Amino acid sequence: MTEKINDLLRRVEEFKPKAEAEIEEFRIRILGKKGELTALMEEFKTVSPELKRELGQKINKLKSRAMERVNELKASFKNTPASSSSIGDMTRPGTNDTIGSRHPIAVVKNEMLAIFERMGYTVADGPEVEDDWHVFSALNFPPEHPARDMQDTFFIQRSPDILLRTHTSSIQVRTMETHKPPIRVVCPGRVYRNESISYRSHCMFHQVEGLYIDENVSFADLKQSIEYFVKEFFGEDAVIRLRPSYFPFTEPSAEVDVSCVLCGGKGCQVCKHTGWLEIMGCGMVDPNVLESCGIDPKKYTGFAFGMGIERSAMLKYGVKDLRLFFENDVRFLNQFDSAL
Ligand code: DAH
């Protein structure tokens, strides 16, 4: 009889139903009125008195374990309603999965890079935590010169040599230091300036920098390249004008204006009734910069330019507040990704 009890206990433990209905069948087969356990109880009546105590305990244990096991198995099916035995309630309303979208800064950046890639530029990258050499000194910012005040810099832990880059022009330097001309790169990236946050400025924003160095590169090449970019980015009707300006790393330097994308140049609130919008800085790379980066200024010339991604996105899409790009409100963000 001990053997029969042990055998039944083993089968109780090993029972693995595939569907919930099998559990009830199992319960009836073991615990039901005509079940195996009932039969064992009948047999128990006939055992000799000296074995009764030991066998009685065993049968009781078997019975409670069998009941426990049935309950456990039933509960496990309740916890997995979508089991293969059930496809759930087909009349329930469906759920909507929200699909993400690319951030407008990424969308605009990719569009800018694609235009330059069509012109033969490759994309270069560099660190956001930089040293003074790559952000200022190699770019012809003399020490203690007021030019350094042009950009309010975040320095790292009282080390005046380590800082958050204030412009992507630092990637120009890194590229020139490691590559021989001809060089034709665009450098997108995040930059930091210690500025108060308002609808038109932020302590963090994005730029795209460009650099072209070869023999006989001229200012006419610079103007033509920028004109091509502007027409691709803002549309065929856009026209540009160059105004003389100053940057330590270019000579001559210029500021690029594009005809107002909203009024087409007639004058409106956005262009402050001038008909023009300022979009980038540019110029011929200063020979001092070429020399600092190990490129022979007698043999090579080049041009560079740099622009803000947020600013271009605001002009292109008529966004009036720069802070919207950093607030992560999906109602704003998902308006820009045409891939949706
Ligand atoms: N680095 C400048 C800035 O952050 C932008 C710029 C101007 C970049 C002229 C250039 C350039 O490469 O040639 O304001």
Side-chain angles (χ1 to χ4, degrees):
M1 184 152 187
T2 310
E3 241 170 57
K4 282 189 189 165
I5 295 172
N6 286 343
D7 175 58
L8 190 53
L9 189 61
R10 186 183 48 76
R11 281 189 285 128
V12 165
E13 295 297 354
E14 288 176 2
F15 174 57
K16 282 212 180 64
K18 287 192 192 68
E20 200 175 353
E22 285 178 27
I23 305 172
E24 187 57 13
E25 280 168 25
F26 176 77
R27 191 190 66 78
I28 293 168
R29 198 164 3 105
I30 307 289
L31 294 161
K33 267 192 192 143
K34 291 180 187 156
E36 290 185 51
L37 198 71
T38 321
L40 268 181
M41 303 270 225
E42 281 303 310
E43 200 179 326
F44 175 71
K45 285 180 190 157
T46 66
V47 301
S48 56
E50 52 289 9
L51 288 175
K52 272 227 155 100
R53 195 181 148 82
E54 190 198 333
L55 287 176
Q57 276 176 356
K58 281 202 160 137
I59 290 185
N60 277 342
K61 260 196 195 150
L62 169 63
K63 187 176 176 185
S64 48
R65 179 61 194 136
M67 282 158 60
E68 197 179 69
R69 179 99 182 109
V70 165
N71 289 337
E72 273 171 20
L73 290 168
K74 282 189 175 164
S76 76
F77 271 87
K78 294 250 154 37
N79 290 338
T80 52
S83 73
S84 55
S85 65
S86 138
I87 50 168
D89 180 357
M90 296 289 283
T91 61
R92 283 182 59 189
T95 51
N96 278 336
D97 285 335
T98 35
I99 299 171
S101 60
R102 272 173 297 187
H103 194 281
I105 295 304
V107 173
V108 172
K109 179 189 83 178
N110 290 343
E111 194 182 337
M112 288 175 167
L113 297 185
I115 296 169
F116 286 112
E117 277 167 352
R118 289 203 290 279
M119 295 162 77
Y121 286 75
T122 51
V123 178
D125 201 3
E128 290 178 23
V129 180
E130 264 291 9
D131 51 31
D132 179 278
W133 170 257
H134 291 95
V135 176
F136 295 126
S137 297
L139 287 165
N140 204 31
F141 284 75
E144 314 304 332
H145 190 276
R148 283 179 191 252
D149 293 341
M150 283 168 73
Q151 304 177 352
D152 298 312
T153 310
F154 287 116
F155 292 93
I156 305 286
Q157 287 191 345
R158 280 183 258 144
S159 163
D161 193 48
I162 308 294
L163 44 101
L164 296 179
R165 69 180 176 202
T166 55
H167 54 181
T168 43
S169 306
S170 54
I171 312 177
Q172 276 192 35
V173 178
R174 289 189 174 272
T175 309
M176 287 190 276
E177 282 173 341
T178 52
H179 293 74
K180 288 200 173 76
I183 293 171
R184 208 184 319 204
V185 287
V186 265
C187 321
R190 190 176 294 160
V191 300
Y192 302 86
R193 289 184 196 178
N194 193 358
E195 279 183 30
S196 51
I197 296 170
S198 74
Y199 75 98
R200 51 185 300 218
S201 68
H202 210 285
C203 56
M204 164 186 102
F205 58 101
H206 298 78
Q207 290 186 329
V208 169
E209 181 87 8
L211 176 71
Y212 180 25
I213 298 185
D214 204 348
E215 290 175 36
N216 301 319
V217 176
S218 70
F219 201 92
D221 297 326
L222 166 63
K223 188 176 178 195
Q224 202 283 327
S225 304
I226 288 174
E227 191 162 296
Y228 176 83
F229 166 76
V230 164
K231 284 188 185 295
E232 288 287 296
F233 186 76
F234 288 107
E236 257 314 295
D237 296 336
V239 286
I240 59 163
R241 75 174 183 188
L242 300 183
R243 275 183 294 110
S245 184
Y246 172 76
F247 299 103
F249 34 93
T250 43
E251 183 60 37
S253 307
E255 209 82 54
V256 181
D257 293 342
V258 61
S259 52
C260 180
V261 286
L262 274 155
C263 64
K266 287 189 204 77
C268 68
Q269 254 186 334
V270 172
C271 61
K272 302 206 179 74
H273 303 282
T274 62
W276 297 97
L277 300 163
E278 188 182 310
I279 54 159
M280 70 170 93
C282 66
M284 300 305 290
V285 180
D286 193 300
N288 287 345
V289 173
L290 294 176
E291 204 154 341
S292 294
C293 299
I295 290 175
D296 182 0
K298 290 192 197 78
K299 188 168 180 203
Y300 295 105
T301 51
F303 64 72
F305 54 87
M307 64 187 141
I309 301 183
E310 282 82 356
R311 176 156 175 82
S312 302
M314 286 169 83
L315 296 175
K316 184 163 175 160
Y317 295 112
V319 176
K320 295 209 173 68
D321 193 328
L322 181 98
R323 290 168 293 198
L324 285 165
F325 291 116
F326 302 104
E327 279 169 2
N328 283 339
D329 183 335
V330 289
R331 291 168 303 179
F332 170 74
L333 295 180
N334 67 19
Q335 296 174 62
F336 300 90
D337 192 352
S338 57
L340 277 182

Coordinates of all heavy atoms in Angstrom, one line a residue, residues 191-260:
V191 N 26.4 72.5 -28.3 CA 27.4 73.5 -27.7 C 26.7 74.2 -26.5 O 25.5 74.1 -26.3 CB 27.8 74.6 -28.8 CG1 28.4 73.9 -30.0 CG2 26.6 75.4 -29.2
Y192 N 27.6 74.8 -25.7 CA 27.1 75.3 -24.4 C 27.6 76.8 -24.2 O 28.8 77.0 -24.4 CB 27.6 74.5 -23.2 CG 27.2 73.0 -23.3 CD1 28.0 72.1 -24.1 CD2 26.1 72.6 -22.7 CE1 27.6 70.8 -24.2 CE2 25.7 71.2 -22.8 CZ 26.5 70.4 -23.6 OH 26.1 69.0 -23.7
R193 N 26.7 77.6 -23.7 CA 27.2 79.0 -23.4 C 26.4 79.4 -22.1 O 25.2 79.1 -21.9 CB 26.8 79.9 -24.5 CG 27.8 79.7 -25.7 CD 27.6 80.7 -26.8 NE 28.2 80.1 -28.0 CZ 28.2 80.7 -29.2 NH1 27.6 81.9 -29.3 NH2 28.8 80.2 -30.2
N194 N 27.1 80.2 -21.3 CA 26.6 80.7 -20.1 C 25.6 81.9 -20.3 O 26.0 83.0 -20.1 CB 27.7 81.0 -19.1 CG 27.2 81.3 -17.7 OD1 26.0 81.2 -17.4 ND2 28.1 81.6 -16.8
E195 N 24.5 81.6 -20.9 CA 23.5 82.6 -21.2 C 22.2 82.4 -20.5 O 21.9 81.2 -20.2 CB 23.3 82.6 -22.7 CG 24.4 83.3 -23.5 CD 24.1 83.4 -25.0 OE1 22.9 83.4 -25.4 OE2 25.1 83.4 -25.7
S196 N 21.5 83.4 -20.2 CA 20.2 83.2 -19.6 C 19.2 82.7 -20.6 O 19.3 82.9 -21.8 CB 19.7 84.5 -18.9 OG 19.8 85.5 -19.9
I197 N 18.3 81.8 -20.0 CA 17.3 81.1 -20.9 C 16.2 82.1 -21.2 O 15.5 82.6 -20.3 CB 16.9 79.8 -20.3 CG1 18.1 78.9 -20.1 CG2 15.8 79.1 -21.1 CD1 17.9 77.7 -19.3
S198 N 15.9 82.2 -22.5 CA 14.7 83.0 -22.9 C 14.1 82.5 -24.2 O 14.6 81.4 -24.7 CB 15.2 84.5 -23.2 OG 15.9 84.6 -24.4
Y199 N 13.2 83.1 -24.8 CA 12.6 82.6 -26.0 C 13.6 82.6 -27.2 O 13.4 81.9 -28.2 CB 11.3 83.4 -26.4 CG 11.7 84.8 -27.0 CD1 11.7 85.0 -28.4 CD2 12.0 85.9 -26.2 CE1 12.0 86.2 -28.9 CE2 12.3 87.1 -26.7 CZ 12.3 87.3 -28.1 OH 12.6 88.5 -28.6
R200 N 14.7 83.3 -27.1 CA 15.7 83.4 -28.2 C 17.1 82.9 -27.8 O 17.9 82.8 -28.7 CB 15.7 84.7 -28.8 CG 15.9 85.8 -27.8 CD 15.8 87.2 -28.4 NE 16.8 87.2 -29.5 CZ 17.5 88.3 -29.8 NH1 17.3 89.4 -29.1 NH2 18.4 88.3 -30.7
S201 N 17.3 82.5 -26.6 CA 18.7 82.0 -26.2 C 18.5 80.9 -25.2 O 17.6 80.9 -24.4 CB 19.6 83.1 -25.8 OG 19.2 83.6 -24.5
H202 N 19.6 80.1 -25.1 CA 19.6 78.9 -24.2 C 21.0 78.7 -23.8 O 21.9 79.0 -24.5 CB 18.9 77.7 -24.9 CG 18.3 76.8 -23.9 ND1 18.9 76.0 -23.0 CD2 16.9 76.6 -23.6 CE1 18.1 75.3 -22.3 NE2 16.9 75.7 -22.6
C203 N 21.2 78.0 -22.7 CA 22.6 77.7 -22.3 C 23.1 76.5 -23.1 O 24.3 76.1 -23.0 CB 22.7 77.4 -20.8 SG 21.6 76.1 -20.3
M204 N 22.3 75.9 -23.8 CA 22.7 74.7 -24.6 C 22.0 74.7 -26.0 O 20.8 75.0 -26.0 CB 22.3 73.5 -23.8 CG 22.3 72.2 -24.6 SD 21.7 70.9 -23.5 CE 20.0 70.8 -24.2
F205 N 22.7 74.6 -27.0 CA 22.0 74.5 -28.3 C 22.9 73.7 -29.3 O 23.9 73.1 -28.9 CB 21.6 75.9 -28.9 CG 22.8 76.9 -29.0 CD1 23.4 77.1 -30.2 CD2 23.3 77.5 -27.9 CE1 24.4 78.0 -30.4 CE2 24.4 78.4 -28.0 CZ 24.9 78.7 -29.3
H206 N 22.5 73.7 -30.6 CA 23.2 72.9 -31.6 C 23.7 73.7 -32.7 O 23.0 74.7 -33.1 CB 22.3 71.8 -32.1 CG 21.8 70.8 -31.0 ND1 20.8 71.2 -30.1 CD2 22.2 69.6 -30.7 CE1 20.6 70.2 -29.3 NE2 21.4 69.2 -29.6
Q207 N 24.8 73.3 -33.3 CA 25.4 74.0 -34.4 C 25.8 73.0 -35.5 O 26.0 71.8 -35.2 CB 26.6 74.8 -34.1 CG 26.4 76.0 -33.2 CD 27.7 76.8 -33.0 OE1 28.8 76.3 -33.0 NE2 27.5 78.1 -32.9
V208 N 25.9 73.5 -36.7 CA 26.5 72.7 -37.8 C 27.6 73.6 -38.3 O 27.4 74.7 -38.7 CB 25.6 72.3 -38.9 CG1 26.3 71.7 -40.1 CG2 24.6 71.3 -38.4
E209 N 28.8 73.0 -38.3 CA 30.0 73.7 -38.8 C 30.4 73.1 -40.1 O 30.2 71.9 -40.4 CB 31.1 73.5 -37.7 CG 32.4 74.1 -38.0 CD 32.4 75.5 -37.4 OE1 31.5 75.9 -36.7 OE2 33.4 76.3 -37.7
G210 N 31.0 73.9 -41.0 CA 31.5 73.4 -42.2 C 33.0 73.9 -42.5 O 33.4 74.9 -42.0
L211 N 33.7 73.0 -43.1 CA 35.1 73.4 -43.4 C 35.5 72.8 -44.8 O 35.3 71.6 -45.0 CB 36.0 72.8 -42.3 CG 37.5 73.0 -42.5 CD1 37.9 74.5 -42.3 CD2 38.3 72.2 -41.5
Y212 N 36.2 73.6 -45.6 CA 36.6 73.1 -46.9 C 38.0 73.7 -47.1 O 38.3 74.9 -47.2 CB 35.7 73.6 -48.0 CG 36.1 73.2 -49.4 CD1 36.8 72.0 -49.6 CD2 35.6 73.9 -50.5 CE1 37.1 71.6 -50.9 CE2 36.0 73.5 -51.8 CZ 36.7 72.4 -52.0 OH 37.0 72.0 -53.3
I213 N 39.0 72.8 -47.3 CA 40.4 73.2 -47.4 C 41.0 72.5 -48.6 O 40.9 71.2 -48.7 CB 41.2 73.0 -46.2 CG1 40.7 73.8 -45.1 CG2 42.7 73.3 -46.4 CD1 41.4 73.8 -43.8
D214 N 41.6 73.2 -49.5 CA 42.3 72.6 -50.7 C 43.2 73.7 -51.3 O 43.2 74.8 -50.8 CB 41.2 72.1 -51.7 CG 41.8 71.0 -52.6 OD1 43.0 70.8 -52.6 OD2 41.0 70.4 -53.3
E215 N 43.8 73.4 -52.4 CA 44.6 74.4 -53.1 C 43.5 75.3 -53.8 O 42.6 74.8 -54.4 CB 45.5 73.8 -54.1 CG 46.7 73.1 -53.4 CD 47.6 72.3 -54.3 OE1 47.8 72.8 -55.5 OE2 48.1 71.3 -54.0
N216 N 43.8 76.6 -53.8 CA 43.0 77.5 -54.6 C 41.5 77.6 -54.2 O 40.7 77.9 -55.1 CB 43.1 77.2 -56.1 CG 44.5 77.2 -56.6 OD1 45.2 78.1 -56.2 ND2 44.8 76.3 -57.4
V217 N 41.2 77.4 -53.0 CA 39.8 77.6 -52.6 C 39.6 79.1 -52.4 O 40.4 79.8 -51.8 CB 39.5 76.9 -51.3 CG1 38.0 77.2 -50.8 CG2 39.6 75.4 -51.5
S218 N 38.5 79.7 -53.0 CA 38.3 81.1 -52.9 C 37.0 81.5 -52.2 O 36.2 80.7 -51.9 CB 38.3 81.6 -54.4 OG 37.0 81.2 -55.0
F219 N 36.9 82.8 -52.0 CA 35.7 83.4 -51.4 C 34.5 83.1 -52.3 O 33.4 82.9 -51.8 CB 35.9 84.9 -51.1 CG 35.0 85.4 -50.1 CD1 35.3 85.5 -48.7 CD2 33.7 85.8 -50.4 CE1 34.4 85.9 -47.8 CE2 32.8 86.3 -49.5 CZ 33.2 86.4 -48.1
A220 N 34.7 83.1 -53.6 CA 33.6 82.8 -54.5 C 33.1 81.4 -54.3 O 31.9 81.2 -54.4 CB 34.1 83.0 -56.0
D221 N 34.0 80.4 -54.0 CA 33.6 79.1 -53.7 C 32.7 79.1 -52.5 O 31.7 78.4 -52.4 CB 34.8 78.2 -53.5 CG 35.7 78.0 -54.7 OD1 35.1 78.0 -55.8 OD2 36.9 77.9 -54.6
L222 N 33.1 79.8 -51.5 CA 32.3 79.9 -50.2 C 30.9 80.4 -50.5 O 29.9 79.8 -50.1 CB 33.1 80.9 -49.2 CG 32.3 81.4 -48.0 CD1 31.9 80.2 -47.1 CD2 33.0 82.4 -47.2
K223 N 30.9 81.5 -51.2 CA 29.5 82.1 -51.5 C 28.6 81.2 -52.3 O 27.5 81.0 -52.0 CB 29.7 83.4 -52.3 CG 28.4 84.2 -52.4 CD 28.5 85.5 -53.0 CE 27.1 86.2 -53.1 NZ 27.1 87.3 -54.0
Q224 N 29.2 80.5 -53.3 CA 28.4 79.6 -54.1 C 27.9 78.4 -53.3 O 26.8 78.0 -53.4 CB 29.3 79.1 -55.3 CG 28.5 78.6 -56.5 CD 28.0 77.2 -56.2 OE1 28.6 76.4 -55.6 NE2 26.8 77.0 -56.8
S225 N 28.8 77.9 -52.4 CA 28.4 76.7 -51.6 C 27.2 77.1 -50.7 O 26.3 76.3 -50.5 CB 29.6 76.2 -50.8 OG 30.6 75.9 -51.6
I226 N 27.3 78.3 -50.1 CA 26.3 78.7 -49.1 C 25.0 79.0 -49.8 O 23.9 78.6 -49.4 CB 26.8 79.9 -48.3 CG1 27.8 79.4 -47.3 CG2 25.6 80.6 -47.5 CD1 28.5 80.4 -46.5
E227 N 25.1 79.6 -51.0 CA 23.9 79.9 -51.8 C 23.2 78.6 -52.2 O 22.0 78.5 -52.0 CB 24.3 80.6 -53.1 CG 23.1 81.2 -53.8 CD 23.5 82.3 -54.8 OE1 24.0 83.3 -54.3 OE2 23.3 82.1 -56.0
Y228 N 23.9 77.6 -52.6 CA 23.4 76.3 -52.9 C 22.6 75.7 -51.7 O 21.5 75.2 -51.8 CB 24.4 75.3 -53.4 CG 23.9 73.9 -53.7 CD1 23.3 73.6 -54.9 CD2 24.0 72.9 -52.7 CE1 22.8 72.4 -55.2 CE2 23.5 71.6 -53.0 CZ 22.9 71.4 -54.2 OH 22.3 70.1 -54.5
F229 N 23.3 75.7 -50.5 CA 22.7 75.2 -49.3 C 21.4 75.9 -49.0 O 20.4 75.3 -48.7 CB 23.7 75.3 -48.1 CG 23.0 75.1 -46.8 CD1 22.7 73.8 -46.4 CD2 22.6 76.1 -46.0 CE1 22.0 73.6 -45.2 CE2 22.0 75.9 -44.8 CZ 21.6 74.6 -44.4
V230 N 21.4 77.2 -49.0 CA 20.3 78.0 -48.6 C 19.1 77.7 -49.5 O 17.9 77.6 -49.0 CB 20.6 79.5 -48.6 CG1 19.4 80.4 -48.6 CG2 21.5 79.8 -47.4
K231 N 19.3 77.6 -50.8 CA 18.2 77.3 -51.7 C 17.6 75.9 -51.5 O 16.4 75.7 -51.6 CB 18.6 77.5 -53.2 CG 18.7 79.0 -53.6 CD 19.0 79.2 -55.0 CE 19.2 80.6 -55.4 NZ 18.0 81.5 -55.2
E232 N 18.5 75.0 -51.2 CA 18.1 73.6 -50.9 C 17.3 73.6 -49.6 O 16.3 72.9 -49.5 CB 19.2 72.6 -50.8 CG 20.0 72.3 -52.1 CD 19.1 71.4 -53.0 OE1 18.9 70.3 -52.6 OE2 18.7 71.8 -54.1
F233 N 17.7 74.3 -48.6 CA 17.1 74.2 -47.3 C 15.9 75.1 -47.2 O 14.9 74.6 -46.6 CB 18.2 74.6 -46.2 CG 17.7 74.4 -44.8 CD1 17.7 73.1 -44.3 CD2 17.3 75.5 -44.0 CE1 17.2 72.9 -43.0 CE2 16.9 75.3 -42.7 CZ 16.8 74.0 -42.2
F234 N 15.9 76.3 -47.6 CA 14.8 77.3 -47.4 C 13.9 77.3 -48.7 O 12.8 77.9 -48.6 CB 15.3 78.7 -47.1 CG 15.9 78.8 -45.7 CD1 17.2 78.9 -45.5 CD2 15.1 78.8 -44.6 CE1 17.8 79.0 -44.2 CE2 15.6 78.9 -43.3 CZ 16.9 79.0 -43.1
G235 N 14.4 76.8 -49.8 CA 13.6 76.9 -51.0 C 14.2 77.7 -52.1 O 15.1 78.6 -51.8
E236 N 13.9 77.5 -53.4 CA 14.5 78.1 -54.6 C 14.4 79.6 -54.5 O 15.3 80.3 -55.1 CB 13.7 77.6 -55.8 CG 14.5 76.5 -56.6 CD 15.9 76.8 -56.9 OE1 16.2 77.8 -57.5 OE2 16.8 76.1 -56.3
D237 N 13.4 80.2 -53.9 CA 13.2 81.6 -53.9 C 14.1 82.4 -53.0 O 14.2 83.6 -53.0 CB 11.7 82.0 -53.6 CG 10.8 81.4 -54.7 OD1 11.3 81.2 -55.8 OD2 9.6 81.2 -54.3
A238 N 14.7 81.6 -52.0 CA 15.5 82.3 -51.0 C 16.8 82.9 -51.7 O 17.4 82.3 -52.5 CB 15.9 81.3 -50.0
V239 N 17.1 84.1 -51.3 CA 18.4 84.7 -51.7 C 19.2 85.1 -50.5 O 18.7 85.2 -49.4 CB 18.1 86.0 -52.6 CG1 17.6 85.6 -54.0 CG2 17.2 87.0 -51.9
I240 N 20.5 85.2 -50.8 CA 21.4 85.5 -49.6 C 22.1 86.8 -49.9 O 22.2 87.3 -51.0 CB 22.5 84.4 -49.4 CG1 23.4 84.2 -50.6 CG2 21.8 83.1 -48.9 CD1 24.6 83.4 -50.3
R241 N 22.6 87.4 -48.7 CA 23.5 88.5 -48.9 C 24.6 88.3 -47.8 O 24.3 87.7 -46.7 CB 22.8 89.9 -48.7 CG 22.4 90.2 -47.3 CD 21.9 91.6 -47.2 NE 21.6 91.9 -45.7 CZ 21.0 93.0 -45.3 NH1 20.5 93.9 -46.1 NH2 20.8 93.1 -44.0
L242 N 25.8 88.8 -48.1 CA 26.9 88.7 -47.1 C 27.2 90.1 -46.6 O 27.3 91.0 -47.3 CB 28.2 88.1 -47.8 CG 28.0 86.7 -48.4 CD1 29.3 86.2 -49.0 CD2 27.5 85.7 -47.4
R243 N 27.4 90.1 -45.2 CA 27.8 91.4 -44.6 C 29.1 91.2 -43.9 O 29.4 90.1 -43.3 CB 26.8 91.7 -43.5 CG 25.5 92.5 -43.9 CD 24.7 92.8 -42.8 NE 24.1 91.6 -42.1 CZ 24.4 91.2 -40.9 NH1 25.4 91.8 -40.2 NH2 23.9 90.1 -40.4
P244 N 30.0 92.2 -44.1 CA 31.3 92.0 -43.4 C 31.2 91.8 -41.9 O 30.3 92.4 -41.3 CB 32.1 93.3 -43.7 CG 31.3 94.0 -44.8 CD 29.9 93.4 -44.7
S245 N 32.0 91.0 -41.3 CA 31.9 90.7 -39.9 C 33.3 90.4 -39.3 O 34.3 90.6 -40.0 CB 30.9 89.6 -39.7 OG 30.7 89.3 -38.3
Y246 N 33.3 90.0 -38.1 CA 34.6 89.6 -37.5 C 34.5 88.3 -36.7 O 33.6 88.1 -35.9 CB 35.1 90.7 -36.6 CG 36.4 90.2 -35.8 CD1 37.6 90.2 -36.5 CD2 36.3 89.8 -34.5 CE1 38.7 89.7 -35.8 CE2 37.4 89.3 -33.9 CZ 38.6 89.2 -34.5 OH 39.7 88.7 -33.9
F247 N 35.4 87.4 -37.0 CA 35.6 86.2 -36.2 C 37.2 86.0 -36.1 O 37.8 86.3 -37.1 CB 35.0 84.9 -36.8 CG 33.5 85.0 -37.0 CD1 33.0 85.2 -38.2 CD2 32.7 84.8 -35.9 CE1 31.6 85.3 -38.4 CE2 31.3 84.9 -36.0 CZ 30.8 85.2 -37.3
P248 N 37.7 85.6 -35.0 CA 39.2 85.5 -34.9 C 39.7 84.5 -35.8 O 40.9 84.6 -36.2 CB 39.4 85.0 -33.4 CG 38.1 85.3 -32.7 CD 37.0 85.3 -33.7
F249 N 38.9 83.5 -36.2 CA 39.5 82.3 -37.0 C 39.3 82.5 -38.5 O 39.7 81.6 -39.3 CB 38.9 81.0 -36.5 CG 37.4 81.2 -36.1 CD1 36.4 80.9 -36.9 CD2 37.1 81.6 -34.8 CE1 35.1 81.0 -36.5 CE2 35.8 81.7 -34.3 CZ 34.8 81.4 -35.2
T250 N 38.7 83.6 -39.0 CA 38.5 83.7 -40.4 C 38.9 85.2 -40.8 O 38.8 86.1 -40.1 CB 37.0 83.5 -40.8 OG1 36.2 84.1 -39.9 CG2 36.7 82.0 -41.0
E251 N 39.4 85.3 -42.0 CA 39.8 86.6 -42.5 C 39.8 86.5 -44.1 O 40.6 85.8 -44.6 CB 41.2 87.0 -42.0 CG 41.7 88.3 -42.4 CD 40.8 89.4 -42.0 OE1 40.2 89.3 -40.8 OE2 40.5 90.4 -42.7
P252 N 38.9 87.2 -44.8 CA 37.9 88.1 -44.2 C 36.7 87.2 -43.6 O 36.6 86.0 -44.0 CB 37.4 88.8 -45.4 CG 37.7 88.0 -46.6 CD 38.9 87.2 -46.2
S253 N 35.9 87.8 -42.8 CA 34.7 87.1 -42.2 C 33.5 87.8 -42.7 O 33.5 89.0 -43.0 CB 34.8 87.2 -40.7 OG 36.0 86.8 -40.2
A254 N 32.4 87.0 -42.7 CA 31.1 87.6 -43.1 C 30.0 86.9 -42.3 O 30.1 85.8 -41.8 CB 30.9 87.3 -44.6
E255 N 28.9 87.7 -42.3 CA 27.6 87.1 -41.7 C 26.7 86.9 -42.9 O 26.7 87.7 -43.8 CB 27.1 88.2 -40.8 CG 26.2 87.8 -39.7 CD 27.1 87.3 -38.5 OE1 27.9 88.1 -38.0 OE2 26.9 86.2 -38.1
V256 N 26.0 85.8 -42.9 CA 25.1 85.5 -44.0 C 23.7 85.8 -43.6 O 23.2 85.3 -42.6 CB 25.2 84.0 -44.4 CG1 24.3 83.7 -45.6 CG2 26.6 83.6 -44.8
D257 N 23.0 86.6 -44.4 CA 21.6 86.8 -44.2 C 20.8 86.1 -45.4 O 21.3 86.0 -46.5 CB 21.2 88.3 -44.3 CG 21.8 89.1 -43.2 OD1 22.2 88.5 -42.2 OD2 21.9 90.3 -43.3
V258 N 19.6 85.6 -45.0 CA 18.7 85.0 -46.1 C 17.5 85.9 -46.1 O 17.0 86.4 -45.1 CB 18.4 83.5 -45.7 CG1 17.7 83.4 -44.4 CG2 17.6 82.9 -46.8
S259 N 16.9 86.0 -47.3 CA 15.7 86.8 -47.5 C 14.6 86.2 -46.6 O 14.5 85.0 -46.5 CB 15.3 86.8 -48.9 OG 15.2 85.5 -49.4
C260 N 13.9 87.0 -45.9 CA 12.9 86.5 -44.9 C 12.0 85.4 -45.5 O 11.3 85.6 -46.5 CB 12.1 87.7 -44.3 SG 10.9 87.1 -43.1

